[in-house]
Structures are given as C-alpha cells and as structure tokens.
Amino acid sequence: MYAFFVAPFADFAFMQRALAGSLMLSLGACPVGVFLMLRRMSLSGDAMAHAILPGAAAGFLFYGLEILPMTIGGLIAGVVVALGAGAVSRFSIQREDASMAAFYLISLAIGVLMVSIRGSSVDLMHVLFGTVLALNNEALVLIGGIAVVTLAALTVLWRALVAECLDPLFLRSVSRLGSPVHFIFLGLVVLNLVGGFQALGTLLSVGLMILPAAAARFWSQRVGPMCVLAVMIGFASCVAGLLLSYHAALPSGPAIILSAGAAYMLSILAGSRGVLRSRLVHHRHRTA
C-alpha cells in the first residue's frame, strides 16, 4: 500500500510539486466551475480556455517557454475575449454562447499558428496539454496566488453570484452589482484557466474546472456543499491521476482529467440525485 499510494509522492520532488500545484488549482477552479455550471456557461468556460492561447503563444514567441510572459499574455488574451464576447452579447442581438464560440475559434487558430511559426510539435503539445510533472516553484507560487484571489473574491461576492445564478434579471433590477459581478466572474474564470494552463495546458485546464462541479451536482442541491464536494472530487481526481500517470507511464494531464471523468460517471450512476437513486424512488412510488 505504501509503495503504491505514498512512495511516489514521498520519494520524488517532481511528484510533490505536481500534487501541490494540482491541489491548489482544484481549490480555486472547482468552485468557479460550480458557478459556471449553474449559470449554464460550461461550454463558455471551454471556449475561454481556448481563448487564452494567442496570449500564451505571444509570450512563447518572444520569450520561449517562460512562465511569466506566457501567463501575462494568456491573461490579457482571455480578458480581451471574455470582455469582447460579453460586450457583443450585451449590445447586440447575438447571445453570449455564440459570440464566445466565434471569439474562441479565432483565438485558437491564431494561437496554434503563432506557436507553429517558432516552435516544434513538442512545444505545441506543451502549450496545448501542459506538463504538470514539470511545475517549478515559480509556477506553484502563481497557482497558489490565483487560488487565494479566487477564494477571496468568491467569499466577497458569494450572495451576488448565487443570486445571479438563480435570477440574473432580478439581481440587475434590484442592484447595480449585476453587470460588474458578471464581468468579475468572467475574470475569475480566465484567471483560473491561466493557472490551469501551467499544469494542464489550454485544452485540458477547463476539465478540472467543470468535471468535478458536474459530478458534485449529482450529490447536492445547495451551492455551498456543492462547491465543497467539487473541491474534494477535484482533490481525489488529482491524486488518482498522478498515481495512474506514475504507475502506468501515462501522460499526467489526461490521467487527471480521466480520473475526474470517472468520478463524474460514477456520480451519474450512484449519486444521491443520480440515475439509480432516481429509478429506485420512481419504482417505489409506482409500487406504493
């Protein structure tokens, strides 16, 4: 048991950094994923994950695989796309999901083109899928800072975020916080995707944000417990994925996301609000 579960993290510093980075990422990203899901913006999160690629590619183009330039570039690109898509949906007839899709497709194409101009296929794979096992101290500080900022913002804006999930039109009618909260929340999404980019790349970072949140939805109806459950599922997925990666020699990022996917499938079946429980309750009502 020790050799399988503990030894990889006890004996290797790169596994310790990967575990610390992925756990801190789950701490901030999973609650944000819950609000994304409740606001029916899960696919918008996926779109914004692709949207940070041009900024990260610009940082790579000028400085190579340096964390700070790629992070700043990704953050700027993500904010520009999020604000642009939000503005288009607010001031035109197009809905936010359509404008976000248009922006992210353009961003993805530009980003891949920019990386391809200077880098190799290995560099492109690094940008798209990340290298959680290669996290250094600078990346850990960045991810930890993002988690702290996210948790602080969620604490301050909690009631407004919950209200907007339930009835955004009502919030805007009784408070001026509607639009600012919406854009601040989009900023938190981008911030956590940029943090996830360091570990999981632009294509997989949204997976750790959405899958634990979607799994938690099958266990709870209340937002607070749902966020806690999502974080716990995220933690378990990171540990399981890293162990699977270590023992089976699999890519670490996909292994983490597949572990989260397994938790999601299990929750669909066995959750307190899942398929089996729903069918059992329905059967009891029919036979009563």
Side-chain angles (χ1 to χ4, degrees):
M1 295 289 288
Y2 176 86
F4 187 88
F5 290 104
V6 180
F9 301 113
D11 296 341
F12 299 101
F14 71 90
M15 289 290 288
Q16 296 169 10
R17 288 193 295 271
L19 180 63
S22 56
L23 293 183
M24 288 189 293
L25 184 61
S26 299
L27 194 60
C30 291
V32 172
V34 169
F35 284 103
L36 266 179
M37 179 189 61
L38 293 177
R39 292 157 63 106
R40 299 181 181 179
M41 292 176 59
S42 300
L43 291 179
S44 296
D46 183 55
M48 282 188 281
H50 295 75
I52 69 175
L53 185 56
F60 168 77
L61 201 61
F62 291 104
Y63 298 97
L65 292 173
E66 293 289 334
I67 290 177
L68 188 59
M70 294 179 70
T71 298
I72 294 174
L75 185 60
I76 293 173
V79 169
V80 168
V81 169
L83 292 178
V88 169
S89 66
R90 296 286 172 132
F91 301 112
S92 73
I93 61 172
Q94 193 168 60
R95 296 180 59 180
E96 189 168 32
D97 58 343
S99 59
M100 188 70 73
F103 274 87
Y104 107 75
L105 288 170
I106 297 170
S107 299
L108 180 62
I110 293 174
V112 171
L113 184 63
M114 291 174 68
V115 174
S116 301
I117 289 174
R118 175 177 173 179
S120 63
S121 58
V122 175
D123 295 322
L124 182 60
M125 292 292 288
H126 172 86
V127 172
L128 293 178
F129 298 105
T131 50
V132 67
L133 296 181
L135 292 177
N136 55 25
N137 293 333
E138 187 180 5
L140 292 180
V141 170
L142 173 68
I143 296 172
I146 289 173
V148 170
V149 170
T150 300
L151 293 178
L154 290 177
T155 301
V156 173
L157 301 174
W158 181 266
R159 294 183 65 182
L161 286 170
V162 173
E164 192 179 27
C165 289
L166 296 175
D167 194 340
L169 294 178
F170 173 76
L171 178 63
R172 292 170 196 164
S173 66
V174 300
S175 173
R176 296 180 179 178
L177 291 176
S179 294
V181 166
H182 179 75
F183 285 110
I184 290 172
F185 176 71
L186 289 180
L188 290 178
V189 174
V190 172
L191 196 62
N192 280 273
L193 289 174
V194 169
F197 157 77
Q198 304 297 335
L200 301 172
T202 57
L203 296 186
L204 294 179
S205 58
V206 72
L208 193 58
M209 183 179 289
I210 297 299
L211 285 172
R217 189 71 175 89
F218 289 100
W219 297 94
S220 177
Q221 298 185 58
R222 299 176 58 191
V223 180
M226 203 182 301
C227 288
V228 174
L229 279 171
V231 171
M232 294 174 62
I233 293 171
F235 283 180
S237 300
C238 291
V239 174
L242 289 173
L243 288 173
L244 182 63
S245 171
Y246 178 83
H247 291 292
L250 297 174
S252 52
I256 290 174
I257 303 305
L258 283 176
S259 298
Y264 172 69
M265 299 303 296
L266 178 64
S267 299
I268 291 176
L269 296 175
S272 58
R273 304 179 69 237
V275 174
L276 296 181
R277 183 69 175 269
S278 299
R279 286 185 173 274
L280 180 61
V281 171
H282 180 69
H283 178 72
R284 286 178 178 176
H285 281 304
R286 291 186 62 182
T287 56

